[in-house]
Amino acid sequence: MGETEYAVIGGGLVGMAVAFGLQRAGRRVTVFDEGDVAFRASRGNFGLVWVQGKGAGLPDYARWSRLSAALWPELAAELEEASGLKLELSQPGGFDICLTEAELAAKAASMAALRARLDGDYPFEVLGHNRLREMLPAIGPKVAGAIYGPEDGHVNPLYLLRALTAAFLGRGGRIENGAAVAEIAPLAWGFRIGAAPGWRAEKVVLCAGLGNARLAPLVGLNAPVKPNRGQVLICERAAPFLPYPNLHVRQTGEGTVQIGASSEDVGLDDGTTPQAMAAMAKQAVDMFPVLENIRVVRAWGALRIMSPDGHPIYEASRAHPGASLVTCHSGVTLAACHALRLAPWIAGGSPPVPYLESFSADRFALSPAA
Amino acid sequence: MPIDSPFRRLPDAQARTLAFTFAGRELEAREGDSLAAAILAAGIATTRHTPVSGAPRGPYCMIGLCFECLVEIDGEPNRQACMVEVRDGMRVKAMQGARGLGKGPADE
Ligand SMILES: Cc1cc2nc3c(=O)[nH]c(=O)nc-3n(C[C@H](O)[C@H](O)[C@H](O)COP(=O)(O)OP(=O)(O)OC[C@H]3O[C@@H](n4cnc5c(N)ncnc54)[C@H](O)[C@@H]3O)c2cc1C
């Protein structure tokens, strides 16, 4: 039981980026995290810092993702300095590899449409097989081509989480582990966190991933998030063969080859299935035949946190001022924006970008589908 | 040949003797030995150097979990020595760093 200025609920990548950013803005922060029994996307994701293809339905999401990718080197440098860890951030550009001409043409058309909606300011290239092979000699004969996004990259997401945590604790932040918050009660001044007597916080930021759906209504917010499962295969370390990340295969800074990720609507089931694993492995070998004999050393499933349109939700409660909500589907990519731009806004600053309202949950109330 | 190993065979070990090589050295094993056990019994503690830090590693858990005992067996990289039985004539090498991604024994 105690008192804090800001209570951040959830200690995943979103919560820790927000907590670190609030602290950087001079706030006193306590993070409450449910622990190992929770579904935690931050411990099972693919590690891409990814821009291309995002925002086809909402150009502001493309702008926001690009801003985060551009801010990533600053975040990485600060976290590496504070934690002594190496995050393995690499942003050489990345590929969305297509195995058929039809798929490549469809993706090229969708990227061109997005570029038009962004007044031409959206860099990408469409590469056929031969040009792609000059950049990625390991592609197989079945590859039709790829979209190249010069702003894409990847990072070690586990070191990212560890570095955020270490930096936050190192600067005097506090984390309550094993602290599943079931109740949040608005008080005359501030909030009670947890069952009475609970903690008292001036402000509360919901960053609880899938847990937000249940917590948000307690403080007048709406977080209609649902799980979507992704399975990931981890292969043995190999000599470097893949100098650029792509959506399906990446080689980490330590040489590990990762193959991902399925997309399955199976509710709160984070298991693995031979069918999904076999399909992912086959696709990876079609793209990169040198992987034919590589050994898979482990596999897991993890749950994405999906809003109805896949875009982030950032919202300050009108009913209960001082409460806010931060949730998104790409918490690795957006970590830099969350720490360096969104947190200062939650700390009381002005909106970091003129289009922040695009990410309000109001869009779900207005859409006929909701 | 006397060997300097903390591992001692049971006095009733009767199994047939097999020959294999590790890093070019001719060694003996007993039929039924795991490769990791045979290497340890021969007094060898280091079976690879890691791809990340280059630190030396050797067999540790002996039950297939820790992946520390990775070796190259007859040209095939990154095999778990504790999960493989020694065969007569097996040629085993230490893993030095990460495996290459070529095909089979031609691998470097
Ligand atoms: C397979 C897969 C691949 C992915 N690949 C990428 C990628 O390449 N790039 C990218 O940018 N993103 C990727 N993502 C998405 C990314 O992992 C998530 O956006 C990010 O981890 C979300 O972080 P989070 O903190 O919101 O959620 P989580 O990591 O789920 O954390 C939520 C936290 O809230 C806590 N919590 C929940 N309820 C409560 C409660 N009631 N009280 C207290 N604490 C609570 C939990 O303990 C948990 O730690 C991927 C996701 C998956 C599943």
Side-chain angles (χ1 to χ4, degrees):
Chain A
M1 310 306 114
E3 281 191 16
T4 184
E5 188 180 2
Y6 276 79
V8 170
I9 315 297
L13 284 174
V14 169
M16 290 316 302
V18 167
F20 170 76
L22 283 171
Q23 185 185 52
R24 222 169 152 267
R27 304 297 166 202
R28 280 190 307 115
V29 185
T30 304
V31 173
F32 297 81
D33 191 61
E34 179 173 356
D36 284 340
V37 295
F39 293 108
R40 302 201 287 188
S42 301
R43 287 160 172 79
N45 68 73
F46 202 56
L48 296 174
V49 174
W50 207 252
V51 171
Q52 68 164 293
K54 287 186 173 149
L58 180 69
D60 287 337
Y61 183 37
R63 292 191 174 95
W64 185 242
S65 299
R66 290 183 71 192
L67 176 61
S68 202
L71 289 169
W72 243 105
E74 185 185 336
L75 177 69
E78 197 176 322
L79 288 177
E80 289 186 346
E81 162 96 44
S83 68
L85 294 164
K86 282 261 161 268
L87 301 192
E88 298 171 15
L89 175 68
S90 158
Q91 296 176 290
F95 293 99
D96 186 357
I97 295 177
C98 300
L99 288 169
T100 66
E101 296 292 342
E103 189 192 350
L104 183 62
K107 288 203 164 133
S110 142
M111 294 288 279
L114 181 53
R115 175 184 275 171
R117 291 185 71 186
L118 289 162
D119 303 320
D121 179 18
Y122 191 69
F124 71 89
E125 276 179 72
V126 182
L127 305 182
H129 181 93
N130 290 339
R131 282 195 55 213
L132 177 59
R133 232 210 352 227
E134 288 166 18
M135 292 176 83
L136 271 187
I139 58 165
K142 290 185 184 168
V143 171
I147 312 280
Y148 174 68
E151 296 168 328
D152 296 324
H154 57 158
V155 70
N156 182 319
L158 295 176
Y159 284 140
L160 167 61
L161 184 60
R162 204 170 126 193
L164 282 166
T165 305
F168 175 72
L169 292 173
R171 294 174 187 181
R174 175 162 186 167
I175 301 180
E176 294 287 304
N177 285 308
V181 174
E183 284 179 45
I184 303 175
L187 307 173
W189 194 72
F191 298 86
R192 188 188 79 222
I193 309 296
W199 276 65
R200 183 171 289 246
E202 284 175 41
K203 321 248 177 181
V204 58
V205 193
L206 303 185
C207 303
L210 290 169
N212 288 324
R214 214 181 56 73
L215 295 175
L218 302 177
V219 288
L221 291 162
N222 177 25
V225 288
K226 293 228 163 70
N228 172 274
R229 182 171 72 190
Q231 299 184 39
V232 177
L233 303 179
I234 306 297
C235 306
E236 61 191 329
R237 293 197 171 112
F241 81 103
L242 193 56
Y244 301 87
N246 66 74
L247 279 174
H248 302 286
V249 186
R250 78 178 188 100
Q251 188 169 26
T252 71
E254 294 179 340
T256 299
V257 178
Q258 302 197 351
I259 299 172
S262 60
S263 171
E264 308 157 77
D265 282 316
V266 289
L268 292 174
D269 173 357
D270 64 355
T272 53
T273 63
Q275 294 83 344
M277 289 195 276
M280 283 158 47
K282 179 177 184 317
Q283 186 184 51
V285 172
D286 281 349
M287 289 176 176
F288 301 103
V290 288
L291 294 178
E292 193 178 355
N293 293 316
I294 202 165
R295 249 177 228 95
V296 173
V297 292
R298 61 184 167 274
W300 63 68
L303 301 181
R304 300 183 182 88
I305 298 136
M306 298 304 292
S307 66
D309 55 12
H311 306 139
I313 310 177
Y314 307 136
E315 179 94 51
S317 175
R318 288 179 289 254
H320 299 290
S324 49
L325 164 69
V326 180
T327 190
C328 73
H329 149 53
S330 288
V332 180
T333 305
L334 295 179
C337 264
H338 290 164
L340 306 180
R341 290 293 181 273
L342 198 69
W345 170 67
I346 296 171
S350 46
V353 287
Y355 52 83
L356 195 67
E357 277 183 15
S358 294
F359 305 120
S360 154
D362 285 352
R363 65 185 190 270
F364 306 122
L366 295 174
S367 88
Chain B
M1 177 182 58
I3 46 174
D4 177 22
S5 166
F7 294 90
R8 297 278 175 268
R9 290 190 179 277
L10 295 174
D12 61 350
Q14 302 277 320
R16 193 165 70 95
T17 301
L18 305 175
F20 72 105
T21 65
F22 178 79
R25 265 176 76 188
E26 311 243 339
L27 300 173
E28 280 185 359
R30 301 282 172 82
E31 189 160 44
D33 278 0
S34 78
L35 177 57
I39 289 172
L40 288 173
I44 294 165
T46 297
T47 50
R48 69 177 182 118
H49 288 86
T50 73
V52 176
S53 66
R57 291 285 197 275
Y60 179 65
C61 78
M62 305 297 280
I63 55 170
L65 289 179
C66 75
F67 287 77
E68 294 294 13
C69 63
L70 300 175
V71 291
E72 182 185 307
I73 302 177
D74 295 329
E76 198 186 333
N78 276 351
R79 301 287 308 272
Q80 291 175 278
C82 71
M83 301 304 283
V84 175
E85 262 188 36
V86 179
R87 286 185 319 273
D88 219 10
M90 218 176 216
R91 287 172 43 208
V92 184
K93 288 190 199 161
M95 285 301 303
Q96 303 296 352
R99 67 167 289 179
L101 280 177
K103 297 239 162 168
D107 237 4
E108 298 165 329

